[in-house]
Amino acid sequence: MPRKKKKSPDAVPLAVIKRLPLYHRYLTMLAQNDVERISSRELAAKMGITASQLRQDLSWFGSFGQQGYGYRVKDLLGEVSKILGLDRQFQMIILGAGNLARALVSYPNFRRRGFYVEAIFDSNPDLIGKQVNGVTIKDVKYLSEYLQQHTVDIGIITAPASVAQKLADTLVAGGVKAIWNFAPIHLKVPRDVVVENVQIGESLLTLSFRLQQQERRKS
Amino acid sequence: MPRKKKKSPDAVPLAVIKRLPLYHRYLTMLAQNDVERISSRELAAKMGITASQLRQDLSWFGSFGQQGYGYRVKDLLGEVSKILGLDRQFQMIILGAGNLARALVSYPNFRRRGFYVEAIFDSNPDLIGKQVNGVTIKDVKYLSEYLQQHTVDIGIITAPASVAQKLADTLVAGGVKAIWNFAPIHLKVPRDVVVENVQIGESLLTLSFRLQQQERRKS
């Protein structure tokens, strides 16, 4: 493949961004199975896209692989990891100490990939001071103070919708530039703050709608 | 607005489907605040879309609202609820009794909207027989038998990726037509089975990528 100039990473389309974690997942599996090299055709087939789509996606970030040889799995995995920011550490805090926080803190893949939960905050006096998987639950009234003293890359909001905006405001005021939001509301943040939403309730409603459609189609 | 013929609900675009839960959320909030009517312009503004987009979305399902009057909030909420299948009950089971299962079972909105978790299955003998929020954890080896004896509308997979496909196969063989998948793998199912994925790990990688991009832009 001829060397091409990298396109501006600012303009990477959302669809490409959303596929990057998939590349990472499949390349990790291949590396774990000691596969040394793979053609763009084979890798694309695994992901349910075309080889030309795959080459186009990767061309946003540079030139990888060689015509007639394909990709070295380990090298490409390393590049994709770097693109995703997995060659560094992210300090995270969780706001809201419910079951979802427990699930996130216990997720083994996060720590392995460099995502560290440093603290959990809650307002419930029964929870403050307790530990979840080695992480202490702190009083949310000290959140601003904590943000002054610690670098926090990602704030995770698992608290109820009613307090989510207020928590987001506190994170933003404390200099946090990325929010992972599980509360079912649209957060208002400045343009330089990145928000990624996981809308669990809405995903279930999408499923129930599609199930209904499927049943109607049959009847 | 003149009465228009309903378009085929089979062809509803995914983007419209994904907005339906948002309509439901905003209309519920309006109803809770005793708002009786709202113009398409106002409702659209709340959701960050245009009034014409909103009217187009709803036209997939029939003719609602009146020119110059807007929508009766309660009526439109009722219609959207029906479209989403919220006028009926869904029997659900969860496969995998970890923290995520705990979070889902405890989610108050599900039951209120007609989504009932009837049983949880796991293979861990330490968990089998215990209860989570009133729901009993059963031995996964009796899953097929359970599916023969009970109607299950939605199977929720929170188990690890390594067993997710096998569990999905068992659900499909047992007649389940909708799977809500939290495991980080692409499930293979027959065409008449609906799968909705919640890829929590991939959402975090998307966030870290976007944060990296933001930081590069500044430096």
Side-chain angles (χ1 to χ4, degrees), chain A residues 19 28 41 47-48 60 62 69 103 116 121 124 144 160 168 187 204:
Chain A
R19 271 195 295 272
T28 302
R41 192 181 298 267
M47 295 181 50
W60 282 98
Y69 179 86
Y116 290 85
F121 289 86
N124 182 347
S144 294
L187 296 176
L204 181 57

Side-chain angles (χ1 to χ4, degrees), chain B residues 20-171:
Chain B
L20 286 173
L22 285 183
Y23 287 112
H24 187 267
R25 189 211 292 171
Y26 283 100
L27 288 166
T28 302
M29 285 196 303
L30 290 168
Q32 278 166 353
N33 293 324
D34 294 319
V35 177
E36 270 184 36
R37 65 186 232 192
I38 190 164
S39 69
S40 51
R41 191 180 299 265
E42 283 171 285
L43 180 55
K46 275 183 194 294
M47 296 182 48
I49 59 174
T50 66
S52 113
Q53 181 65 74
L54 178 136
R55 284 188 298 259
Q56 246 178 59
D57 281 4
L58 294 179
S59 75
W60 281 99
F61 306 100
S63 174
F64 312 105
Q66 271 181 289
Q67 187 109 49
Y69 178 87
Y71 303 101
R72 278 183 206 279
V73 169
K74 255 195 177 165
D75 293 355
L76 188 57
L77 176 57
E79 295 287 348
V80 171
S81 299
K82 231 193 286 176
I83 292 166
L84 286 168
L86 302 185
D87 55 341
R88 60 173 269 194
Q89 290 192 2
F90 292 94
Q91 317 297 331
M92 313 197 293
I93 59 173
I94 301 181
L95 311 182
N99 285 301
L100 189 55
R102 257 163 235 279
L104 293 174
V105 166
S106 319
Y107 201 64
N109 272 340
F110 289 168
R111 191 166 271 266
R112 219 160 31 93
R113 289 176 176 175
F115 295 94
Y116 291 86
V117 178
E118 302 289 349
I120 302 173
F121 289 86
D122 205 292
S123 59
N124 182 345
D126 295 343
L127 296 176
I128 293 164
K130 295 219 168 111
Q131 292 218 331
V132 180
N133 226 23
V135 182
T136 304
I137 302 173
K138 297 175 192 285
D139 190 332
V140 73
K141 76 177 175 204
Y142 299 118
L143 176 57
S144 294
E145 203 178 307
Y146 181 92
L147 293 172
Q148 279 168 17
Q149 290 158 0
H150 300 79
T151 301
V152 173
D153 299 300
I154 298 173
I156 307 175
I157 298 180
T158 62
S162 53
V163 295
Q165 183 61 55
K166 207 179 144 226
L167 290 171
D169 294 344
T170 309
L171 288 172

